[in-house]
């Protein structure tokens, strides 16, 4: 249903929007999932992509290490939908403990995890296509805000 966070909205320009997840170009653009522009880019789209990328790099590094340490997160799960969030949360807690305690992390794990993750295509469903118009409105409002901030600073 696209409801992942408490119902906290902000208004950018004239557009009310929810908290969003930042994704790479492989993901579908959704009202709750922002991804960069692709194709021919003007300076405004390049600025949007740059700012999105800066934020995503920190998150991607953390998730890359999490998925590398717990490869079960890379594959289809046969768990019941009720248990999947519990397993993911457990992986996150255990991963954070490993990071805090300085447990060994092999860079080869991350390379292998990235290779395995590339094999999974993202879904293309009717629900995704229905959400596109609102997602485009949100991304355009963020792009305009980034441009305004650039001019004013």
């Amino acid at each position: 249903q696209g409801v992942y966070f408490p119902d906290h909205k902000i208004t950018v320009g004239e557009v009310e929007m929810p908290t969003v997840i930042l994704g790479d170009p492989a993901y579908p653009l959704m009202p709750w999932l922002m991804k960069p522009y692709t194709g021919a880019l003007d300076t405004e789209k390049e600025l949007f992509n740059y700012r999105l990328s800066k934020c995503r790099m920190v998150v991607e590094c953390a998730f890359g290490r999490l998925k590398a340490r717990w490869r079960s997160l890379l594959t289809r799960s046969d768990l019941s939908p009720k248990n999947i969030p519990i397993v993911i949360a457990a992986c996150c807690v255990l991963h954070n403990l490993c990071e805090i305690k300085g447990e060994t992390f092999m860079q080869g794990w991350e390379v292998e995890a990235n290779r395995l993750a590339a094999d999974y295509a993202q879904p293309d469903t009717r629900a995704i296509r229905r959400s596109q118009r609102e997602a485009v409105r949100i991304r355009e409002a963020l792009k305009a805000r980034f441009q305004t901030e650039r001019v004013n600073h």
Side-chain angles (χ1 to χ4, degrees):
Q1 294 176 339
V3 179
Y4 299 101
F5 303 104
D7 191 25
H8 174 76
K9 297 196 182 316
I10 63 167
T11 302
V12 176
E14 301 287 318
V15 179
E16 186 178 79
M17 62 185 69
T19 300
V20 297
I21 296 172
L22 307 179
D24 65 25
Y27 293 96
L29 179 65
M30 302 291 287
W32 50 268
L33 175 62
M34 286 295 105
K35 67 182 244 176
Y37 289 95
T38 57
L41 304 177
D42 59 24
T43 56
E44 290 180 0
K45 289 178 181 177
E46 284 178 356
L47 178 63
F48 175 88
N49 285 1
Y50 171 75
R51 293 223 174 148
L52 189 77
S53 175
K54 264 179 80 171
C55 295
R56 262 190 33 239
M57 286 189 316
V58 174
V59 175
E60 282 187 23
C61 182
F63 277 111
R65 289 178 68 89
L66 174 72
K67 291 185 300 184
R69 195 181 294 276
W70 308 106
R71 292 187 203 172
S72 61
L73 298 176
L74 289 171
T75 61
R76 183 178 185 276
S77 176
D78 291 327
L79 296 170
S80 75
K82 183 182 112 194
N83 289 332
I84 289 173
I86 296 166
V87 170
I88 292 171
C91 288
C92 290
V93 169
L94 291 171
H95 174 72
N96 286 342
L97 287 171
C98 289
E99 292 285 308
I100 290 166
K101 297 293 184 182
E103 291 292 322
T104 301
F105 181 86
M106 307 292 286
Q107 291 304 321
W109 295 350
E110 202 164 1
V111 171
E112 178 69 6
N114 289 336
R115 188 187 63 71
L116 292 170
D119 293 339
Y120 295 97
Q122 296 300 312
D124 180 27
T125 66
R126 223 172 336 151
I128 289 170
R129 290 189 297 276
R130 271 198 309 269
S131 298
Q132 293 292 298
R133 183 175 293 123
E134 180 62 13
V136 167
R137 242 171 54 86
I138 290 169
R139 185 167 66 176
E140 289 296 312
L142 288 170
K143 180 183 76 170
R145 169 63 62 89
F146 293 164
Q147 191 63 34
T148 302
E149 289 174 358
R150 180 180 178 208
V151 171
N152 292 336
H153 287 105

